[in-house]
């Protein structure tokens, strides 16, 4: 089946924007239920300590307080073991060691911000005031803060059942082949890099209301999430409450970035409170709680080496990872390890590969998937290595890549770690990007920058990532048609600002050949939650998965309609044609409108699909200018050419790329969660200390598409949601390193703050 192009639309703006930009959206905190109580969490102010005692006596006496819950309640309820869904095969058959995490800390606290008690009161102010009356006696323990230190012999131990704080040791590839290749190499480039810990900070803070129905023993949860199916699975595993006892309400979601996927302890704690009090219980996270307790992203250290032959051809690559997972494994935590292995050789033919992983637990907030979930990390490690090799060998960075690309005729291409890249034209993409960025004109621009007393650098990154797939058995989409010809599309994916209401509607409108205004998209609606299966929105899979099924469902509707129209037109179904919203009998030329087939009763169809991974890829080129007097760096230009397969909506895709590029640039230039290494205190607990990128950080992006259609999706689409940061993280860093290379500055780890750059520049070059 081939996808149609969007013949019936011009450029389409996002239909949801009128609602979202005029304050008419409905977010989790906007809900208020009759009789609701408010929860406030008392959180640990230390990184590692035994809880000797908790005395809530005074708090319980405070006016308006209904109940106080502690870890003992969590343990009594059995809400102790969060699911961790993605296992990665360990070395020598090692299984992931997933520690218990009661929904309120019990016995010990293991990071600053961990909730150990919850006060439930008539008002939030009463709950907060009462929380201050809770007396906690701690016995401090030394913390293990930095992941390599946490793995070292003699480090403080977080969990009894995780010896050495090692949650998993794993490997991929062929160590012997790599050793042999390194032994014959003409040149070896080595680089150890850190992909720093960041806080996703979606615009909407986390907010939930839990309601318990004593008659059914079921729970209604008002949530912000990336899709209810995964959340429900995690919650059922965490609490033991069967999946069919959960009902969710989720309307608009103000950003997710991976962090809104998993079940959190707060969900479970609110469920306990709702059941015991018999009232809805609401909690809205503050910004500071968000930075401290919403799962963090990235947080890994990669020691890499690339072996090259005399002609600059890659022979082998070795990567040694230390992943910091924080104090507990979040349900989606292992995903970003698996993802690094799926694209480990990047866009290159690298005959031999070996990677080892050590997953460390530390006295810090848990780390989980964050936009790209491992893909930007591996892209950064590989693309920094390649640019570093080019610099060492004094070969043009684009030329070194050109020599090593997987050639177009090698697709589908099986990587040494077992992925199958379906389709790409890497040399074509590179040439287009070089042209778009005016690579040849760079020396002139650099000279001009230098006349202004500044440094200029250019950085390139050619990247590929896996998108699509997912853990649900299948993606299902229902399409319902009414007599007026209005089409409602139901999916279990959940936009958090991605524009699905527009793009999914376009897919259906295209297939049905009806105006876009006829189609309405509804996601995770309560009445479909136990009827439709599907993946949450994450892994840039929604368009490949649910989007492709929207296309299949629309065609299924046409087929169902053809049979109904045949009855009405009194001909064989084979004699009924469909086009532009009309069924037509071949002979009589009589027509029926699409909606006419739903005159007696609404018509609905459910289609399903399960697709594997698609591999969007791209070439991004950044130029930066650095002021040596202040160390401040600026992105002077940014060009991105991406292969996203068939594009549904160019404006949405441009927005996705822009957002992703800004996220990568934000991490390179400043975003960084910092814990004090001695005490484990969070040093970046608010936006006063945590750098958030602003619009001015990223200039207008010159973007272009270089599509090769996906062989996996019937629409030919590949995902885009994470591509921007996968490309920008290495491209921007490479540009900064290129600017500093003439001064003899070696690799600098992100964040490349003005202070760090100033020191590097001034220690390399004495002031005149
Ligand atoms: N699209 C398209 N043509 C394509 C591919 C995608 O028009 N060939 C459109 C889609 O239909 C959708 C958008 O682009 O409207 C992103 O689609 P897709 O790549 O399928 O990714 P998902 O919808 O599954 O989004 C998930 C992805 C991830 S994993 C993170 S994290 C992320 C991201 O998207 N979080 C975001 N982008 C985000 N954007 C916003 N505004 N907020 C977030 O939290």
């Amino acid at each position: 089946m081939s996808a149609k192009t969007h013949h019936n639309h011009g450029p389409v703006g996002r239909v949801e924007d009128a609602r979202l930009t005029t304050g008419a959206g409905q977010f989790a905190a906007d809900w208020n239920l009759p009789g609701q109580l408010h929860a406030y969490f008392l959180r640990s102010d230390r990184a590692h300590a035994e809880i000797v005692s908790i005395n809530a006596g005074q708090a319980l006496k405070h006016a308006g307080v209904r109940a106080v819950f502690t870890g003992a309640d969590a343990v009594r309820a059995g809400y102790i073991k969060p699911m961790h869904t993605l296992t990665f095969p360990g070395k020598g058959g090692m299984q992931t060691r997933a520690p218990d995490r009661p929904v309120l800390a019990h016995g010990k606290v293991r990071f600053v911000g961990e909730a150990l008690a919850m006060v439930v009161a008539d008002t939030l102010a009463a709950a907060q005031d009462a929380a201050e009356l809770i007396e906690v006696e701690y016995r401090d323990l030394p913390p293990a803060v930095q992941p390599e230190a946490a793995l070292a012999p003699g480090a403080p131990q977080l969990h009894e059942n995780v010896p050495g704080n090692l949650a998993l040791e794993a490997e991929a590839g062929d160590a012997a082949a790599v050793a042999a290749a390194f032994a014959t190499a003409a040149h070896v480039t080595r680089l150890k890099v850190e992909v720093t810990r960041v806080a996703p900070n979606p615009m909407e803070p986390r907010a939930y209301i839990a309601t318990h129905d004593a008659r059914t023993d079921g729970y209604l949860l008002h949530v912000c999430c990336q899709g209810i199916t995964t959340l429900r699975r995690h919650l059922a595993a965490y609490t033991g409450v069967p999946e069919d006892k959960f009902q969710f309400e989720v309307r608009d979601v103000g950003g997710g970035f991976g962090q809104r996927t998993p079940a959190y302890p707060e969900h479970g704690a609110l469920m306990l409170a709702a059941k015991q009090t018999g009232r809805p219980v609401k909690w809205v996270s503050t910004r500071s709680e968000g930075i401290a307790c919403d799962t963090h992203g990235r947080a890994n250290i990669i020691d890499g080496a690339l072996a090259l032959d005399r002609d600059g051809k890659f022979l082998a690559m070795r990567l040694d990872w230390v992943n910091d997972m924080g104090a507990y494994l979040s349900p989606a935590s292992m995903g970003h390890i698996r993802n690094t292995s799926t694209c480990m050789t990047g866009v290159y033919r690298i005959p031999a590969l070996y990677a080892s992983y050590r997953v460390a637990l530390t006295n810090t907030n848990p780390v989980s998937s964050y936009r790209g979930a491992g893909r930007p990390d591996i892209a950064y490690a590989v693309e920094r290595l390649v640019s570093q090799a080019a610099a060492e060998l004094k070969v043009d960075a684009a030329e070194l890549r050109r020599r090593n690309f997987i050639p177009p005729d090698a697709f589908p291409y099986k990587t040494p770690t077992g992925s199958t890249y379906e389709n790409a034209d890497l040399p074509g993409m590179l040439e287009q990007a070089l042209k778009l960025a005016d690579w040849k004109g760079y020396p002139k621009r650099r000279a001009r920058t230098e006349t202004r007393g500044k440094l200029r650098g250019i950085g390139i990154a050619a990247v590929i990532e896996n998108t699509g797939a997912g853990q649900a058995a299948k993606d299902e989409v229902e399409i319902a048609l009414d007599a007026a010809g209005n089409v409602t599309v139901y999916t279990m994916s959940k936009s958090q600002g991605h524009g699905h209401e527009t793009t999914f509607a376009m897919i259906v409108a295209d297939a049905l050949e009806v105006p876009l205004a006829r189609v309405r998209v509804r996601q995770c609606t309560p009445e479909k939650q136990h009827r439709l299966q599907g993946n949450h929105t994450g892994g840039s899979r929604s368009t490949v998965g649910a989007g492709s099924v929207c296309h299949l469902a629309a065609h299924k509707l046409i087929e169902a309609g053809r049979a109904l129209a045949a009855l009405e037109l009194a001909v064989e179904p084979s004699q009924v044609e469909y086009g532009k919203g009309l069924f037509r009998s071949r002979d009589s030329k009589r027509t029926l409108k699409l909606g006419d087939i739903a005159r007696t009763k609404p018509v609905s169809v459910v289609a399903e699909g399960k697709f594997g991974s698609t591999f969007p890829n791209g070439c991004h080129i950044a130029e930066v200018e650095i002021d040596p007097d202040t160390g401040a760096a600026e992105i002077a230009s940014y060009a991105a050419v991406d292969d996203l397969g068939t594009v549904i909506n160019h404006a949405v895709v441009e927005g996705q790329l822009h957002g992703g590029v800004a996220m990568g640039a934000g991490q390179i230039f400043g975003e960084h969660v910092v814990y004090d290494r001695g005490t484990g205190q969070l040093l970046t607990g608010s936006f006063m200390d945590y750098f958030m990128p602003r619009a001015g950080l990223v200039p207008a992006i010159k973007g272009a598409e270089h599509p090769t259609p996906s062989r996996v999706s019937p629409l030919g689409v590949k995902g885009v949601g994470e591509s921007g940061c996968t490309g920008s993280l290495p491209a921007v860093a490479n540009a900064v390193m290129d600017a500093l290379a003439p001064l003899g500055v070696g690799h600098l780890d992100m964040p490349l703050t003005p202070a760090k750059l100033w020191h590097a520049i001034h220690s390399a070059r004495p002031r005149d």
Side-chain angles (χ1 to χ4, degrees):
M1 194 178 326
S2 74
K4 294 202 177 83
T5 50
H6 309 292
H7 52 81
N8 56 350
H9 323 289
V12 178
R14 304 197 332 166
V15 297
E16 50 272 79
D17 282 357
R19 181 178 82 246
L20 294 174
T21 56
T22 57
Q26 185 158 27
F27 298 87
D30 294 333
W31 293 96
N32 286 299
L33 303 183
Q36 80 189 6
L37 301 173
H38 298 265
Y40 183 85
F41 289 95
L42 177 68
R43 298 184 181 278
S44 170
D45 60 3
R46 54 204 75 204
H48 200 191
E50 276 172 37
I51 305 170
V52 179
S53 65
I54 303 183
N55 181 351
Q58 290 303 316
L60 277 164
K61 284 186 204 144
H62 191 276
V65 169
R66 302 286 175 149
V68 176
F69 297 83
T70 65
D73 300 296
V75 169
R76 205 170 303 120
Y79 290 13
I80 52 175
K81 201 165 190 59
M83 182 178 203
H84 83 102
T85 57
L86 279 166
T87 43
F88 188 80
K91 197 172 172 180
M94 181 179 177
Q95 298 289 315
T96 304
R97 298 169 182 154
D100 288 350
R101 182 183 185 183
V103 295
L104 294 164
H106 189 59
K108 240 186 171 194
V109 286
R110 294 182 178 85
F111 68 95
V112 169
E114 182 171 13
L116 67 151
M118 173 181 60
V119 183
V120 177
D122 292 338
T123 64
L124 178 59
Q128 183 166 0
D129 286 348
E132 288 177 16
L133 302 175
I134 298 176
E135 292 163 16
V136 184
E137 192 190 331
Y138 291 106
R139 187 175 301 127
D140 283 318
L141 297 167
V145 181
Q146 197 271 349
E148 287 166 320
L151 293 174
Q157 299 293 294
L158 271 79
H159 301 273
E160 270 176 21
N161 60 348
V162 187
N165 302 317
L166 182 70
L168 183 70
E169 188 162 11
E171 58 186 347
D174 184 340
V178 167
F182 269 80
T184 65
H187 183 83
V188 172
T189 292
R190 291 178 206 282
L191 197 60
K192 185 173 177 182
V193 298
E194 180 175 0
V195 184
T196 44
R197 178 188 278 255
V198 288
N201 287 313
M203 211 182 287
E204 181 194 10
R206 268 193 299 142
Y208 314 128
I209 309 174
T211 310
H212 179 252
D213 183 337
R215 283 167 307 136
T216 61
D217 202 19
Y219 291 87
L220 170 64
L221 297 177
H222 289 69
V223 291
C224 49
C225 73
Q226 297 185 208
I228 63 103
T229 50
T230 304
L231 178 60
R232 184 172 63 198
R233 196 158 45 94
H234 290 175
L235 277 175
Y238 206 164
T239 62
V241 173
E243 285 200 35
D244 63 3
K245 296 284 185 197
F246 286 99
Q247 192 71 40
F248 298 89
E249 190 63 72
V250 49
R251 302 271 169 100
D252 291 307
V253 180
F257 309 116
Q259 194 191 36
R260 297 293 185 255
T261 303
Y264 279 87
E266 288 87 352
H267 287 113
L270 293 176
M271 285 167 62
L272 288 179
K275 185 165 183 171
Q276 182 169 315
T277 62
R279 304 263 292 268
V281 183
K282 179 171 180 173
W283 171 70
V284 181
S285 165
T286 62
R287 277 271 162 226
S288 304
E289 281 177 301
I291 293 178
C293 311
D294 291 6
T295 54
H296 290 156
R298 315 269 189 255
N300 50 68
I301 299 163
I302 311 145
D303 199 352
L306 180 67
L308 300 93
D309 72 9
R310 214 169 302 283
D311 303 321
K313 287 254 190 190
F314 302 159
L315 297 173
M317 190 170 67
R318 190 186 287 131
L319 299 167
D320 178 32
W321 299 72
V322 175
N323 290 271
D324 179 359
M325 285 294 174
Y328 305 94
L329 296 181
S330 163
S333 55
M334 289 298 181
H336 57 282
I337 298 190
R338 189 218 36 198
N339 285 336
T340 60
S341 72
T342 50
C343 300
M344 197 164 272
T345 44
V347 289
Y348 308 110
R349 214 171 215 174
I350 306 182
L353 175 82
Y354 178 71
S356 52
Y357 299 87
R358 281 173 304 150
V359 178
L361 297 185
T362 59
N363 288 107
T364 61
N365 180 45
V367 174
S368 190
S369 295
Y370 167 64
R371 199 174 197 165
R375 306 164 186 94
D377 317 52
I378 181 68
Y380 180 75
V382 173
E383 288 303 285
R384 280 291 300 119
L385 263 176
V386 172
S387 280
Q388 177 81 15
E392 288 171 5
L393 295 169
K394 300 196 176 8
V395 178
D396 176 90
E399 170 54 23
L400 188 63
R401 286 172 169 83
R402 197 182 279 120
R403 274 184 216 166
N404 287 284
F405 278 148
I406 302 162
D409 60 12
F411 291 90
Y413 175 78
K414 197 142 169 84
T415 72
T417 46
S419 295
T420 304
Y421 295 166
E422 35 166 5
N423 220 348
D425 170 24
L426 301 163
M429 167 109 59
L430 175 74
E431 297 318 317
Q432 195 177 337
L434 295 177
K435 218 183 226 169
L436 190 68
D438 185 22
W439 184 262
K440 285 203 184 119
Y442 172 71
K444 267 197 199 141
R445 293 192 293 281
R446 178 171 182 148
R448 267 205 303 275
T449 299
E450 281 169 354
T451 61
R452 287 188 281 113
K454 292 193 177 180
L455 305 167
R456 193 171 182 114
I458 190 164
I460 184 168
V463 299
I464 191 161
E465 59 186 4
N466 54 310
T467 68
Q471 292 189 303
K474 54 190 173 181
D475 278 300
E476 287 182 316
V477 169
E478 180 172 340
I479 298 191
L481 171 73
D482 72 14
N486 297 316
V487 176
T488 309
V489 180
Y490 297 93
T491 83
M492 284 296 118
S493 63
K494 186 79 205 80
S495 171
Q496 309 126 51
H498 311 74
H500 293 171
E501 284 170 63
T502 305
T503 52
F504 287 9
M506 286 172 75
I507 291 168
V508 171
D510 268 358
L512 297 178
E513 301 177 43
V514 298
L516 188 62
R518 283 267 173 234
V519 185
R520 197 161 144 237
V521 174
R522 305 198 59 206
Q523 306 174 67
C524 297
T525 49
E527 72 275 21
K528 303 294 177 199
Q529 286 176 12
H530 294 287
R531 287 195 50 193
L532 297 178
Q533 298 188 51
N535 283 294
H536 71 271
T537 283
S540 301
R541 69 169 60 89
S542 304
T543 315
V544 176
S548 295
V549 182
C550 283
H551 176 75
L552 300 180
H555 283 281
K556 198 165 172 181
L557 182 71
I558 293 171
E559 288 319 305
R562 199 189 303 279
L564 293 167
L567 291 175
E568 188 110 350
L569 298 168
V571 293
E572 286 296 311
S574 62
Q575 298 308 302
V576 178
E577 292 171 346
Y578 179 81
K580 299 203 169 106
L582 292 176
F583 293 99
R584 182 192 310 268
S585 146
R586 281 213 173 99
D587 315 331
S588 66
K589 305 287 179 232
R590 272 185 62 211
T591 59
L592 275 182
K593 289 199 197 123
L594 180 61
D596 289 344
I597 61 166
R599 256 195 317 241
T600 45
K601 64 175 170 77
V603 175
S604 82
V605 293
V606 176
E608 62 178 65
K610 182 159 176 74
F611 311 100
S613 288
T614 64
F615 290 87
N617 51 92
C619 185
H620 290 203
I621 298 176
E623 285 182 39
V624 298
E625 276 193 351
I626 304 172
D627 183 340
D629 292 335
T630 61
E634 231 172 61
I635 298 177
S637 72
Y638 198 98
V641 179
D642 285 275
D643 171 3
L644 309 164
T646 311
V647 166
I648 306 299
N649 183 313
H650 297 274
V652 168
V653 157
E654 200 182 314
Q656 285 292 315
L657 279 166
H658 206 126
V661 168
M663 252 167 142
Q667 181 163 9
I668 291 298
F669 287 126
E671 283 199 62
H672 193 193
V673 173
V674 183
Y675 287 95
D676 179 80
R677 290 200 176 179
T679 62
Q681 283 299 325
L682 177 60
L683 302 180
T684 51
S686 81
F687 288 157
M688 293 295 286
D689 311 300
Y690 187 87
F691 171 96
M692 278 299 280
R694 302 204 168 92
L697 186 71
V698 179
I701 293 173
K702 281 186 260 173
E705 291 162 12
H706 190 84
T708 62
S710 160
R711 298 175 204 238
V712 165
S713 150
L715 276 171
V717 294
K718 303 177 184 178
V720 63
E722 295 153 298
S723 306
C725 50
T726 304
S728 71
L729 210 62
V732 174
N734 281 339
V736 175
M737 295 312 147
D738 182 58
L740 300 182
L743 306 181
V745 175
H747 172 77
L748 297 175
D749 272 328
M750 61 180 90
L752 301 171
T753 58
K756 193 183 276 183
L757 295 182
W758 188 91
H759 277 290
I761 292 165
H762 288 265
S763 44
R765 189 180 62 169
R767 265 174 185 281
D768 12 306

